[in-house]
mmCIF file of all heavy atoms in Angstrom:
data_model
loop_
_atom_site.group_PDB
_atom_site.id
_atom_site.type_symbol
_atom_site.label_atom_id
_atom_site.label_comp_id
_atom_site.label_asym_id
_atom_site.label_seq_id
_atom_site.Cartn_x
_atom_site.Cartn_y
_atom_site.Cartn_z
ATOM 1 N N ASP A 1 -5.760 14.124 15.414
ATOM 2 C CA ASP A 1 -6.760 15.174 15.147
ATOM 3 C C ASP A 1 -7.350 15.105 13.746
ATOM 4 O O ASP A 1 -7.493 16.121 13.036
ATOM 5 C CB ASP A 1 -6.137 16.576 15.349
ATOM 6 C CG ASP A 1 -5.581 16.754 16.778
ATOM 7 O OD1 ASP A 1 -6.279 16.253 17.720
ATOM 8 O OD2 ASP A 1 -4.548 17.399 16.937
ATOM 9 N N GLY A 2 -7.673 13.900 13.337
ATOM 10 C CA GLY A 2 -8.358 13.735 12.049
ATOM 11 C C GLY A 2 -7.492 13.929 10.830
ATOM 12 O O GLY A 2 -8.025 14.215 9.744
ATOM 13 N N CYS A 3 -6.199 13.797 10.955
ATOM 14 C CA CYS A 3 -5.336 13.912 9.755
ATOM 15 C C CYS A 3 -4.047 13.096 9.966
ATOM 16 O O CYS A 3 -3.775 12.572 11.061
ATOM 17 C CB CYS A 3 -4.981 15.385 9.516
ATOM 18 S SG CYS A 3 -3.963 16.139 10.812
ATOM 19 N N VAL A 4 -3.290 12.998 8.912
ATOM 20 C CA VAL A 4 -1.998 12.336 8.933
ATOM 21 C C VAL A 4 -0.910 13.378 8.766
ATOM 22 O O VAL A 4 -0.962 14.234 7.898
ATOM 23 C CB VAL A 4 -1.919 11.291 7.777
ATOM 24 C CG1 VAL A 4 -0.506 10.711 7.713
ATOM 25 C CG2 VAL A 4 -2.944 10.205 7.929
ATOM 26 N N MET A 5 0.088 13.305 9.647
ATOM 27 C CA MET A 5 1.236 14.184 9.563
ATOM 28 C C MET A 5 2.392 13.386 9.014
ATOM 29 O O MET A 5 2.943 12.485 9.688
ATOM 30 C CB MET A 5 1.606 14.758 10.926
ATOM 31 C CG MET A 5 0.440 15.484 11.609
ATOM 32 S SD MET A 5 -0.213 16.871 10.701
ATOM 33 C CE MET A 5 1.175 18.000 10.845
ATOM 34 N N ALA A 6 2.749 13.611 7.758
ATOM 35 C CA ALA A 6 3.807 12.841 7.073
ATOM 36 C C ALA A 6 5.093 13.623 7.013
ATOM 37 O O ALA A 6 5.128 14.793 6.677
ATOM 38 C CB ALA A 6 3.324 12.510 5.651
ATOM 39 N N HIS A 7 6.147 12.922 7.394
ATOM 40 C CA HIS A 7 7.508 13.553 7.429
ATOM 41 C C HIS A 7 8.246 13.191 6.160
ATOM 42 O O HIS A 7 8.557 12.002 5.906
ATOM 43 C CB HIS A 7 8.222 13.112 8.670
ATOM 44 C CG HIS A 7 7.432 13.299 9.911
ATOM 45 N ND1 HIS A 7 7.110 14.541 10.439
ATOM 46 C CD2 HIS A 7 6.833 12.382 10.747
ATOM 47 C CE1 HIS A 7 6.410 14.405 11.540
ATOM 48 N NE2 HIS A 7 6.222 13.103 11.734
ATOM 49 N N LEU A 8 8.595 14.162 5.332
ATOM 50 C CA LEU A 8 9.174 13.950 4.010
ATOM 51 C C LEU A 8 10.631 14.454 4.004
ATOM 52 O O LEU A 8 10.979 15.428 4.670
ATOM 53 C CB LEU A 8 8.388 14.688 2.923
ATOM 54 C CG LEU A 8 6.857 14.454 2.910
ATOM 55 C CD1 LEU A 8 6.234 15.233 1.735
ATOM 56 C CD2 LEU A 8 6.511 12.984 2.850
ATOM 57 N N LEU A 9 11.443 13.713 3.242
ATOM 58 C CA LEU A 9 12.841 14.104 3.063
ATOM 59 C C LEU A 9 13.160 14.241 1.574
ATOM 60 O O LEU A 9 12.873 13.318 0.801
ATOM 61 C CB LEU A 9 13.740 13.033 3.697
ATOM 62 C CG LEU A 9 15.261 13.244 3.502
ATOM 63 C CD1 LEU A 9 15.744 14.486 4.235
ATOM 64 C CD2 LEU A 9 16.031 11.975 3.984
ATOM 65 N N TYR A 10 13.760 15.382 1.197
ATOM 66 C CA TYR A 10 14.142 15.627 -0.181
ATOM 67 C C TYR A 10 15.589 15.221 -0.409
ATOM 68 O O TYR A 10 16.373 15.113 0.535
ATOM 69 C CB TYR A 10 13.902 17.062 -0.569
ATOM 70 C CG TYR A 10 12.470 17.480 -0.532
ATOM 71 C CD1 TYR A 10 11.913 18.055 0.627
ATOM 72 C CD2 TYR A 10 11.661 17.259 -1.617
ATOM 73 C CE1 TYR A 10 10.561 18.443 0.670
ATOM 74 C CE2 TYR A 10 10.316 17.673 -1.609
ATOM 75 C CZ TYR A 10 9.756 18.244 -0.427
ATOM 76 O OH TYR A 10 8.434 18.561 -0.395
ATOM 77 N N ALA A 11 15.967 15.090 -1.671
ATOM 78 C CA ALA A 11 17.297 14.620 -2.021
ATOM 79 C C ALA A 11 18.379 15.584 -1.536
ATOM 80 O O ALA A 11 19.450 15.135 -1.160
ATOM 81 C CB ALA A 11 17.437 14.466 -3.542
ATOM 82 N N GLN A 12 18.071 16.856 -1.468
ATOM 83 C CA GLN A 12 19.035 17.827 -1.057
ATOM 84 C C GLN A 12 19.169 17.922 0.479
ATOM 85 O O GLN A 12 19.958 18.681 0.999
ATOM 86 C CB GLN A 12 18.695 19.236 -1.565
ATOM 87 C CG GLN A 12 18.741 19.366 -3.098
ATOM 88 C CD GLN A 12 17.514 18.742 -3.780
ATOM 89 O OE1 GLN A 12 16.548 18.415 -3.116
ATOM 90 N NE2 GLN A 12 17.603 18.584 -5.096
ATOM 91 N N GLY A 13 18.375 17.127 1.160
ATOM 92 C CA GLY A 13 18.444 17.078 2.633
ATOM 93 C C GLY A 13 17.375 17.878 3.317
ATOM 94 O O GLY A 13 17.258 17.799 4.560
ATOM 95 N N GLN A 14 16.583 18.640 2.593
ATOM 96 C CA GLN A 14 15.495 19.413 3.250
ATOM 97 C C GLN A 14 14.427 18.430 3.746
ATOM 98 O O GLN A 14 14.189 17.400 3.179
ATOM 99 C CB GLN A 14 14.834 20.410 2.277
ATOM 100 C CG GLN A 14 15.821 21.368 1.625
ATOM 101 C CD GLN A 14 16.088 20.908 0.183
ATOM 102 O OE1 GLN A 14 16.380 19.764 -0.062
ATOM 103 N NE2 GLN A 14 15.969 21.839 -0.747
ATOM 104 N N GLU A 15 13.781 18.895 4.836
ATOM 105 C CA GLU A 15 12.715 18.097 5.420
ATOM 106 C C GLU A 15 11.380 18.919 5.369
ATOM 107 O O GLU A 15 11.424 20.143 5.370
ATOM 108 C CB GLU A 15 13.014 17.678 6.849
ATOM 109 C CG GLU A 15 14.229 16.749 6.933
ATOM 110 C CD GLU A 15 14.435 16.200 8.316
ATOM 111 O OE1 GLU A 15 13.584 16.444 9.201
ATOM 112 O OE2 GLU A 15 15.510 15.564 8.568
ATOM 113 N N GLU A 16 10.318 18.211 5.348
ATOM 114 C CA GLU A 16 8.998 18.875 5.279
ATOM 115 C C GLU A 16 8.028 18.035 6.036
ATOM 116 O O GLU A 16 8.075 16.775 6.049
ATOM 117 C CB GLU A 16 8.551 19.058 3.802
ATOM 118 C CG GLU A 16 7.173 19.671 3.673
ATOM 119 C CD GLU A 16 6.547 19.411 2.311
ATOM 120 O OE1 GLU A 16 7.295 19.132 1.345
ATOM 121 O OE2 GLU A 16 5.318 19.458 2.248
ATOM 122 N N THR A 17 6.963 18.633 6.588
ATOM 123 C CA THR A 17 5.827 17.940 7.167
ATOM 124 C C THR A 17 4.639 18.303 6.291
ATOM 125 O O THR A 17 4.324 19.459 6.071
ATOM 126 C CB THR A 17 5.560 18.373 8.613
ATOM 127 O OG1 THR A 17 6.738 18.039 9.406
ATOM 128 C CG2 THR A 17 4.382 17.609 9.189
ATOM 129 N N CYS A 18 3.956 17.249 5.833
ATOM 130 C CA CYS A 18 2.758 17.385 5.001
ATOM 131 C C CYS A 18 1.583 16.903 5.817
ATOM 132 O O CYS A 18 1.590 15.802 6.367
ATOM 133 C CB CYS A 18 2.931 16.595 3.692
ATOM 134 S SG CYS A 18 1.392 16.552 2.700
ATOM 135 N N GLU A 19 0.523 17.730 5.824
ATOM 136 C CA GLU A 19 -0.717 17.323 6.484
ATOM 137 C C GLU A 19 -1.718 16.845 5.434
ATOM 138 O O GLU A 19 -2.004 17.534 4.480
ATOM 139 C CB GLU A 19 -1.300 18.510 7.235
ATOM 140 C CG GLU A 19 -2.615 18.186 7.952
ATOM 141 C CD GLU A 19 -3.235 19.390 8.632
ATOM 142 O OE1 GLU A 19 -2.478 20.133 9.331
ATOM 143 O OE2 GLU A 19 -4.449 19.613 8.455
ATOM 144 N N ALA A 20 -2.197 15.626 5.623
ATOM 145 C CA ALA A 20 -3.120 15.017 4.669
ATOM 146 C C ALA A 20 -4.284 14.422 5.406
ATOM 147 O O ALA A 20 -4.156 13.941 6.560
ATOM 148 C CB ALA A 20 -2.458 13.958 3.811
ATOM 149 N N ARG A 21 -5.458 14.397 4.753
ATOM 150 C CA ARG A 21 -6.584 13.740 5.364
ATOM 151 C C ARG A 21 -6.402 12.241 5.361
ATOM 152 O O ARG A 21 -6.770 11.549 6.329
ATOM 153 C CB ARG A 21 -7.870 14.114 4.596
ATOM 154 C CG ARG A 21 -8.247 15.603 4.631
ATOM 155 C CD ARG A 21 -8.972 15.948 5.933
ATOM 156 N NE ARG A 21 -10.194 15.165 6.105
ATOM 157 C CZ ARG A 21 -11.359 15.438 5.500
ATOM 158 N NH1 ARG A 21 -11.465 16.452 4.656
ATOM 159 N NH2 ARG A 21 -12.419 14.694 5.733
ATOM 160 N N TYR A 22 -5.798 11.716 4.278
ATOM 161 C CA TYR A 22 -5.556 10.293 4.149
ATOM 162 C C TYR A 22 -4.233 10.030 3.493
ATOM 163 O O TYR A 22 -3.751 10.850 2.723
ATOM 164 C CB TYR A 22 -6.706 9.584 3.345
ATOM 165 C CG TYR A 22 -8.058 9.635 4.066
ATOM 166 C CD1 TYR A 22 -9.007 10.624 3.723
ATOM 167 C CD2 TYR A 22 -8.378 8.724 5.041
ATOM 168 C CE1 TYR A 22 -10.219 10.672 4.355
ATOM 169 C CE2 TYR A 22 -9.629 8.764 5.705
ATOM 170 C CZ TYR A 22 -10.508 9.764 5.356
ATOM 171 O OH TYR A 22 -11.751 9.801 6.005
ATOM 172 N N LEU A 23 -3.667 8.873 3.749
ATOM 173 C CA LEU A 23 -2.398 8.464 3.189
ATOM 174 C C LEU A 23 -2.552 7.123 2.466
ATOM 175 O O LEU A 23 -3.130 6.198 3.010
ATOM 176 C CB LEU A 23 -1.359 8.300 4.300
ATOM 177 C CG LEU A 23 0.034 7.740 3.956
ATOM 178 C CD1 LEU A 23 0.787 8.767 3.090
ATOM 179 C CD2 LEU A 23 0.840 7.431 5.193
ATOM 180 N N ALA A 24 -2.066 7.069 1.250
ATOM 181 C CA ALA A 24 -2.148 5.868 0.449
ATOM 182 C C ALA A 24 -0.751 5.305 0.170
ATOM 183 O O ALA A 24 0.068 5.960 -0.464
ATOM 184 C CB ALA A 24 -2.866 6.122 -0.890
ATOM 185 N N GLY A 25 -0.483 4.113 0.693
ATOM 186 C CA GLY A 25 0.810 3.454 0.468
ATOM 187 C C GLY A 25 0.800 2.650 -0.779
ATOM 188 O O GLY A 25 0.292 1.527 -0.808
ATOM 189 N N CYS A 26 1.374 3.167 -1.847
ATOM 190 C CA CYS A 26 1.496 2.453 -3.113
ATOM 191 C C CYS A 26 2.964 2.267 -3.423
ATOM 192 O O CYS A 26 3.417 2.328 -4.582
ATOM 193 C CB CYS A 26 0.844 3.294 -4.283
ATOM 194 S SG CYS A 26 -0.856 3.814 -3.915
ATOM 195 N N ASP A 27 3.731 2.039 -2.344
ATOM 196 C CA ASP A 27 5.220 2.072 -2.440
ATOM 197 C C ASP A 27 5.870 0.710 -2.457
ATOM 198 O O ASP A 27 7.015 0.565 -2.020
ATOM 199 C CB ASP A 27 5.756 2.952 -1.287
ATOM 200 C CG ASP A 27 5.212 2.581 0.101
ATOM 201 O OD1 ASP A 27 4.164 1.898 0.159
ATOM 202 O OD2 ASP A 27 5.814 2.994 1.091
ATOM 203 N N GLY A 28 5.190 -0.284 -3.011
ATOM 204 C CA GLY A 28 5.842 -1.520 -3.357
ATOM 205 C C GLY A 28 6.027 -2.503 -2.213
ATOM 206 O O GLY A 28 5.641 -2.268 -1.067
ATOM 207 N N ALA A 29 6.684 -3.610 -2.560
ATOM 208 C CA ALA A 29 6.852 -4.720 -1.621
ATOM 209 C C ALA A 29 7.615 -4.326 -0.339
ATOM 210 O O ALA A 29 7.426 -4.950 0.697
ATOM 211 C CB ALA A 29 7.508 -5.924 -2.302
ATOM 212 N N ARG A 30 8.518 -3.368 -0.450
ATOM 213 C CA ARG A 30 9.302 -2.906 0.699
ATOM 214 C C ARG A 30 8.673 -1.669 1.299
ATOM 215 O O ARG A 30 9.366 -0.830 1.840
ATOM 216 C CB ARG A 30 10.727 -2.675 0.305
ATOM 217 C CG ARG A 30 11.492 -3.924 -0.166
ATOM 218 C CD ARG A 30 12.949 -3.621 -0.513
ATOM 219 N NE ARG A 30 13.698 -4.764 -0.868
ATOM 220 C CZ ARG A 30 13.749 -5.285 -2.100
ATOM 221 N NH1 ARG A 30 13.080 -4.694 -3.069
ATOM 222 N NH2 ARG A 30 14.484 -6.380 -2.346
ATOM 223 N N SER A 31 7.391 -1.560 1.258
ATOM 224 C CA SER A 31 6.619 -0.378 1.628
ATOM 225 C C SER A 31 6.997 0.235 2.961
ATOM 226 O O SER A 31 6.946 -0.381 4.024
ATOM 227 C CB SER A 31 5.105 -0.770 1.668
ATOM 228 O OG SER A 31 4.337 0.276 2.241
ATOM 229 N N THR A 32 7.367 1.523 2.906
ATOM 230 C CA THR A 32 7.628 2.287 4.147
ATOM 231 C C THR A 32 6.309 2.496 4.920
ATOM 232 O O THR A 32 6.303 2.478 6.152
ATOM 233 C CB THR A 32 8.226 3.665 3.809
ATOM 234 O OG1 THR A 32 9.503 3.432 3.173
ATOM 235 C CG2 THR A 32 8.446 4.480 5.061
ATOM 236 N N VAL A 33 5.222 2.674 4.210
ATOM 237 C CA VAL A 33 3.937 2.898 4.872
ATOM 238 C C VAL A 33 3.598 1.649 5.673
ATOM 239 O O VAL A 33 3.182 1.724 6.845
ATOM 240 C CB VAL A 33 2.833 3.189 3.816
ATOM 241 C CG1 VAL A 33 1.460 3.255 4.509
ATOM 242 C CG2 VAL A 33 3.115 4.483 3.082
ATOM 243 N N ARG A 34 3.720 0.474 5.078
ATOM 244 C CA ARG A 34 3.395 -0.785 5.779
ATOM 245 C C ARG A 34 4.302 -0.984 6.961
ATOM 246 O O ARG A 34 3.866 -1.387 8.078
ATOM 247 C CB ARG A 34 3.506 -1.984 4.834
ATOM 248 C CG ARG A 34 2.913 -3.283 5.386
ATOM 249 C CD ARG A 34 3.154 -4.480 4.526
ATOM 250 N NE ARG A 34 4.571 -4.755 4.369
ATOM 251 C CZ ARG A 34 5.249 -4.663 3.225
ATOM 252 N NH1 ARG A 34 4.627 -4.268 2.117
ATOM 253 N NH2 ARG A 34 6.547 -4.918 3.151
ATOM 254 N N LYS A 35 5.581 -0.695 6.825
ATOM 255 C CA LYS A 35 6.540 -0.874 7.919
ATOM 256 C C LYS A 35 6.269 0.118 9.037
ATOM 257 O O LYS A 35 6.409 -0.218 10.219
ATOM 258 C CB LYS A 35 7.984 -0.707 7.423
ATOM 259 C CG LYS A 35 8.397 -1.898 6.443
ATOM 260 C CD LYS A 35 9.754 -1.648 5.856
ATOM 261 C CE LYS A 35 10.141 -2.780 4.935
ATOM 262 N NZ LYS A 35 11.452 -2.546 4.241
ATOM 263 N N THR A 36 5.901 1.348 8.691
ATOM 264 C CA THR A 36 5.580 2.329 9.752
ATOM 265 C C THR A 36 4.357 1.906 10.527
ATOM 266 O O THR A 36 4.283 2.110 11.738
ATOM 267 C CB THR A 36 5.326 3.709 9.087
ATOM 268 O OG1 THR A 36 6.488 4.098 8.332
ATOM 269 C CG2 THR A 36 5.010 4.763 10.128
ATOM 270 N N LEU A 37 3.429 1.255 9.842
ATOM 271 C CA LEU A 37 2.246 0.737 10.530
ATOM 272 C C LEU A 37 2.505 -0.535 11.334
ATOM 273 O O LEU A 37 1.646 -1.005 12.055
ATOM 274 C CB LEU A 37 1.135 0.424 9.504
ATOM 275 C CG LEU A 37 0.550 1.650 8.765
ATOM 276 C CD1 LEU A 37 -0.362 1.179 7.662
ATOM 277 C CD2 LEU A 37 -0.216 2.547 9.736
ATOM 278 N N ASP A 38 3.756 -1.041 11.196
ATOM 279 C CA ASP A 38 4.167 -2.274 11.882
ATOM 280 C C ASP A 38 3.192 -3.423 11.570
ATOM 281 O O ASP A 38 2.787 -4.170 12.465
ATOM 282 C CB ASP A 38 4.275 -2.045 13.385
ATOM 283 C CG ASP A 38 5.021 -3.169 14.090
ATOM 284 O OD1 ASP A 38 5.863 -3.822 13.437
ATOM 285 O OD2 ASP A 38 4.790 -3.408 15.269
ATOM 286 N N MET A 39 2.885 -3.548 10.295
ATOM 287 C CA MET A 39 1.931 -4.492 9.844
ATOM 288 C C MET A 39 2.574 -5.776 9.281
ATOM 289 O O MET A 39 3.544 -5.671 8.468
ATOM 290 C CB MET A 39 1.014 -3.886 8.743
ATOM 291 C CG MET A 39 -0.229 -4.711 8.413
ATOM 292 S SD MET A 39 -1.220 -3.852 7.179
ATOM 293 C CE MET A 39 -1.717 -2.394 8.162
#
């Protein structure tokens, strides 16, 4: 529906869903974003 639903985990164990128009993977060579995209 024209957005990204990102599932976040905090150190204390809480979880959150963030709605974003766009997602930028700047998370390094072991990128979770790239792996999630199965690229």
Side-chain angles (χ1 to χ4, degrees):
D1 301 324
C3 67
V4 174
M5 306 299 290
H7 308 290
L8 310 181
L9 176 66
Y10 295 93
Q12 295 78 12
Q14 306 103 310
E15 296 186 9
E16 176 200 338
T17 299
C18 172
E19 179 183 312
R21 295 279 302 280
Y22 295 98
L23 174 68
C26 307
D27 48 344
R30 296 182 176 87
S31 170
T32 298
V33 175
R34 191 186 63 246
K35 291 174 182 176
T36 302
L37 294 171
D38 194 24
M39 192 177 294

